[in-house]
Amino acid sequence: MKLILVSAILLFYHNHCVNSYAIIDVISDKMNQFSHSIKVAFKSFRVKMKDFFFPDMINKKETDLPLTNYRKSRTNKAFSDFVDEMAAESETESPEYLTLKSDPTALMSTPQLATLHGKRIESHIVLTKDGYFLTLHRLISPCRRDGDKSYCNNETVLLHHGLLGSSADWILLGSDDSLPYILSNLGYDVWMANARGNYYSRGHTSKQVDSTDFWKFSWHEMGYYDLPAVIEYMKTVKNTSSKINYIGYSMGASAFLVLLSSLPQYSSSFKLAIFLAPLAFLSNTEGPLRILRAMAFNPPMHLLKLLGNGEFIPKRKVPHWISNKYCQGPELFCCNPLFFFAGAIPSDTEYLDRSFLARLMYHVPAGGSTNTVLHYAQLIKTGKFHKFNYETEEYPLSQISVPIALISSTDDTLATVADVLRLYFSIQKPIDHYVIHDKNLNHTDFIWGHNAAELVFGKVVDFLTTGLYFNTTRINEV
């Protein structure tokens, strides 16, 4: 500005015939030029900054769009990449899938399967504070006999299934190798939870199961509402204040972490927790679930139509044109939503007999919400363990005071060893991080693998009996 005024004054003295109006015109013109140069500089800076933060934005016209519109266009592009913009082919069930349906055990419920296995079981209905009806299954434990004496150890164990699972998952291996039966035979009082949304927990005091409002939950609500209701009910039925041993597989671990980080008063209800392939930090997760991270916070409507705008894939089958693109393995498993998104296609299929396959395919997935899956996709994107749709609201894991043992596998691409190790260092009282090395144990094999009893369940029993006295300096490897 000073430079402009000085130039004008010099011009005036140099040419006396220039009147005051001419001086004003010169000054105004110079100021306009200066203002225009500033605008151009800031516009160029804005474009460069957007190019820096969003390097994949090729169309320069998009740089003038509001950020919300840009995110929407990015999300739509991610969806197009996900489905490869291919038209859906006609969907028909494979002959192999139809054949399995005829197996006598395929459509049996948890109580029916347990009865088939020679076990006695009870069903209990629990009501949560927000109106959901949940089903609890409880094994009636046969007390062990030592000569003429009969006794139980009076310990209680609560098992919580994984993503899209149910209580049936725990007993699909049969009467000899299933974890609940192993624990029951040792005298434990075994309870199996069913999270809201699965086959056994689809009731509500006012919401219809076919409404989108019923499905507005993720695993946050399972930890915040479901587990407190289950714990209070168990205490009432048992009429005791004795502490509970908790075993959480996959999502079952997520719910437990939500419970104790949000409602720390429940810490006194637990003696010990054991996590099998826990889902918390997911920075290193691989597989199709990782593809959804770009759409996790702002899913486009066409993605919700594909995944389900409420219930997750209600038809329980991944379309062929998606599974063929992202999945390598038998079609029977690639089209199953849980195996597909978990990236856990069985590698040792020779160990899977027809009856087991029938039970597996018709009990898995047992149902769940789309938000539950998107919540995990958000964790993959952010690298944090936070509330649904709120990246900045992380769960305070360091406040959890219950002793926790963790078991992971080097062959699990969903709950990776690195991410489980990060969880280990985030909690207050970790007992051990037990790593199973190179045994082809993927994410779903933790409860269904033909060698799960040997590799996993034996260690679970070890933690239950000696976990609170475990020397963490021991080598935690198989």
Side-chain angles (χ1 to χ4, degrees), residues 248-250 253-254 275-282 406-408 415 420 423 443:
Y249 161 61
S250 183
S254 309
F275 292 167
L276 313 180
L279 297 183
F281 298 107
L282 301 177
L406 305 97
I407 304 179
S408 65
V420 176
L423 174 61
H443 191 71

Side-chain angles (χ1 to χ4, degrees), residues 2 25 30 70 95 102 114-115 126 141 149 156 179 223 227 239 242 263 277 332 367 399 407 417 431 433 457 470:
K2 291 181 179 179
D25 289 340
K30 295 294 183 181
Y70 167 68
S102 63
T115 302
V126 179
S141 176
K149 295 182 180 180
T156 303
L179 179 59
L227 282 180
N239 192 26
S242 61
L263 303 169
L332 185 68
Q399 297 181 15
I407 304 179
V417 172
I431 294 175
H433 177 202
F457 303 158
F470 189 79

Side-chain angles (χ1 to χ4, degrees), residues 103-124:
D103 187 271
T105 65
L107 302 180
M108 286 187 177
S109 64
T110 298
Q112 290 171 334
L113 281 173
T115 302
L116 179 68
H117 298 153
K119 309 298 180 181
R120 300 172 62 199
I121 194 169
E122 300 172 345
S123 295
H124 299 259

Side-chain angles (χ1 to χ4, degrees), residues 409-444:
S409 169
T410 55
D411 297 298
D412 187 349
T413 58
L414 187 57
T416 64
V417 172
D419 289 332
V420 176
L421 185 62
R422 182 180 172 189
L423 174 61
Y424 175 88
F425 286 112
S426 299
I427 54 181
Q428 191 178 125
K429 294 182 180 179
I431 294 175
D432 184 31
H433 177 202
Y434 184 75
V435 183
I436 300 172
H437 286 269
D438 305 321
K439 298 293 183 180
N440 292 322
L441 194 81
N442 66 37
H443 191 71
T444 59

Side-chain angles (χ1 to χ4, degrees), residues 173-367:
L173 282 178
S175 58
D176 296 327
D177 297 326
S178 297
L179 179 59
Y181 300 152
I182 293 173
L183 297 177
S184 180
N185 291 338
L186 291 174
Y188 287 92
D189 182 14
V190 179
W191 298 69
M192 295 177 284
N194 284 287
R196 60 181 65 195
N198 78 16
Y199 289 153
Y200 301 103
S201 302
R202 293 199 169 196
H204 194 276
T205 55
S206 60
K207 300 176 182 179
Q208 298 294 326
V209 71
D210 57 354
S211 67
T212 56
D213 196 36
F214 177 90
W215 298 97
K216 289 181 179 179
F217 61 82
S218 73
W219 40 264
H220 171 83
E221 284 73 17
M222 297 172 195
Y224 196 83
Y225 293 109
D226 293 5
L227 282 180
V230 167
I231 294 165
E232 296 297 340
Y233 182 87
M234 291 173 63
K235 287 182 178 180
T236 301
V237 171
K238 290 175 65 69
N239 192 26
T240 178
S241 59
S242 61
K243 295 188 176 183
I244 300 169
N245 295 287
Y246 183 89
I247 301 176
Y249 161 61
S250 183
M251 184 183 71
S254 309
F256 187 83
L257 293 172
V258 169
L259 169 69
L260 294 193
S261 61
S262 303
L263 303 169
Q265 63 269 29
Y266 280 99
S267 297
S268 60
S269 300
F270 296 96
K271 174 184 177 183
L272 171 72
I274 302 172
F275 292 167
L276 313 180
L279 297 183
F281 298 107
L282 301 177
S283 299
N284 298 286
T285 291
E286 300 176 4
L289 185 58
R290 189 174 185 85
I291 307 298
L292 296 180
R293 72 189 189 282
M295 302 169 274
F297 283 95
N298 298 284
M301 185 53 63
H302 31 287
L303 176 66
L304 294 178
K305 288 181 179 179
L306 177 66
L307 300 181
N309 189 14
E311 182 179 4
F312 182 69
I313 308 185
K315 295 182 179 180
R316 303 178 66 241
K317 190 175 181 184
V318 176
H320 285 297
W321 83 92
I322 296 179
S323 63
N324 289 342
K325 180 180 180 181
Y326 293 101
C327 181
Q328 294 181 350
E331 179 186 341
L332 185 68
F333 297 105
C334 286
C335 288
N336 184 291
L338 177 60
F339 288 104
F340 174 75
F341 283 99
I345 305 302
S347 56
D348 296 329
T349 54
E350 66 270 18
Y351 294 100
L352 306 178
D353 61 69
R354 182 178 179 277
S355 182
F356 174 77
L357 278 176
R359 295 193 300 272
L360 188 63
M361 290 298 103
Y362 281 92
H363 284 87
V364 180

Side-chain angles (χ1 to χ4, degrees), residues 54-114:
F54 310 111
D56 54 341
M57 185 186 290
I58 299 174
N59 185 358
K60 291 303 177 182
K61 291 183 179 180
E62 286 190 289
T63 58
D64 294 325
L65 293 175
L67 187 57
T68 54
N69 289 347
Y70 167 68
R71 287 174 176 166
K72 184 177 180 180
S73 67
R74 285 283 307 279
T75 302
N76 291 338
K77 182 180 183 302
F79 174 77
S80 298
D81 292 341
F82 179 61
V83 300
D84 204 22
E85 296 184 323
M86 295 176 63
E89 60 187 52
S90 60
E91 295 292 330
T92 58
E93 286 191 343
S94 64
E96 184 182 11
Y97 204 89
L98 291 171
T99 302
L100 292 175
K101 189 182 292 185
S102 63
D103 187 271
T105 65
L107 302 180
M108 286 187 177
S109 64
T110 298
Q112 290 171 334
L113 281 173

